[in-house]
Amino acid sequence: MTPSRTSGPRALRGALPVAIATSVLTLWSAAAAAAPKIPKVSVGIEKCIPTVLAKHPGTVLQVVLKPEDGKPVWEIEVDGKDGKLWDVECSGATGKIVESEQRFKSADEPGFKEKVKVSETDATKTALAKHPGKVERVEYEVEADGTPVYEFDIEQDNGDDVRVEVDAVTGKLREAHPELLEIGRLPK
């Protein structure tokens, strides 16, 4: 009797990856159905990262995909060779840089501190009033127009992650976007 090619340990090794892949796809589909609408991405990170690094050479620390006005945006965090931290947004539709912000390691850093009129505590209250949950991280940024902002990564009570910006001068909520995909992790 000749052993069957489809039985025994070899068949199991072949079937297991297929079963795992099927399970992952099933879970992904269920999660995607429950998640906010994911905008169609025409330009991936493989094209946006070189564009961003051409403007701000350095090391990519994190990439986040988020929708802005229904359009996909790659937010790429860069530790620049110029000694500065950069938060650069690249359009997932065109591959062009749409915004570049300088990020600071703390609220006490020169370049941020002297522009701020609203405390981090008050800004946190504003962010959590609109998006209840747990603040996972706070970033201190100066927008392209010179406005300082607190940017909060919040894990909402429903389990979704949202990125919320609060103006550090007026204390008003500027924008909030769900994080659809996060690659890498910034230090806290």
Side-chain angles (χ1 to χ4, degrees):
M1 180 172 189
T2 306
S4 165
R5 291 179 160 256
T6 59
S7 65
R10 283 187 182 200
L12 183 57
R13 279 195 304 259
L16 194 55
V18 171
I20 291 171
T22 302
S23 297
V24 168
L25 286 173
T26 301
L27 290 172
W28 175 261
S29 296
K37 185 176 180 197
I38 298 174
K40 182 178 188 243
V41 176
S42 301
V43 178
I45 56 174
E46 74 282 356
K47 292 196 178 166
C48 276
I49 287 177
T51 301
V52 167
L53 292 178
K55 182 169 181 162
H56 297 289
T59 303
V60 172
L61 301 174
Q62 183 183 52
V63 177
V64 172
L65 176 63
K66 61 184 186 175
E68 286 195 13
D69 300 323
K71 297 175 184 155
V73 173
W74 296 104
E75 185 174 293
I76 301 169
E77 308 272 351
V78 177
D79 185 358
K81 287 183 179 178
D82 59 2
K84 297 177 181 177
L85 295 170
W86 296 99
D87 183 0
V88 185
E89 293 182 358
C90 178
S91 169
T94 67
K96 294 181 180 177
I97 293 175
V98 294
E99 188 174 37
S100 187
E101 306 163 344
Q102 185 178 354
R103 190 163 53 87
F104 296 84
K105 292 180 182 176
S106 81
D108 293 326
E109 255 190 275
F112 185 83
K113 181 179 181 175
E114 64 272 5
K115 296 180 178 193
V116 172
K117 297 196 185 316
V118 174
S119 72
E120 183 176 332
T121 300
D122 288 342
T124 302
K125 288 177 186 174
T126 298
L128 290 175
K130 185 74 173 171
H131 302 279
K134 177 185 167 203
V135 174
E136 295 180 319
R137 172 181 335 290
V138 181
E139 294 178 16
Y140 314 96
E141 299 177 347
V142 173
E143 301 282 313
D145 68 1
T147 303
V149 298
Y150 296 101
E151 184 175 273
F152 298 94
D153 284 354
I154 299 173
E155 182 180 340
Q156 294 182 297
D157 292 340
N158 65 5
D160 292 340
D161 290 329
V162 65
R163 197 161 268 199
V164 179
E165 277 188 9
V166 176
D167 189 304
V169 174
T170 67
K172 294 183 179 179
L173 189 74
R174 285 179 61 108
E175 60 183 55
H177 304 286
E179 293 182 337
L180 304 175
L181 173 68
E182 183 175 358
I183 302 168
R185 192 54 134 158
L186 294 174
K188 289 191 177 192

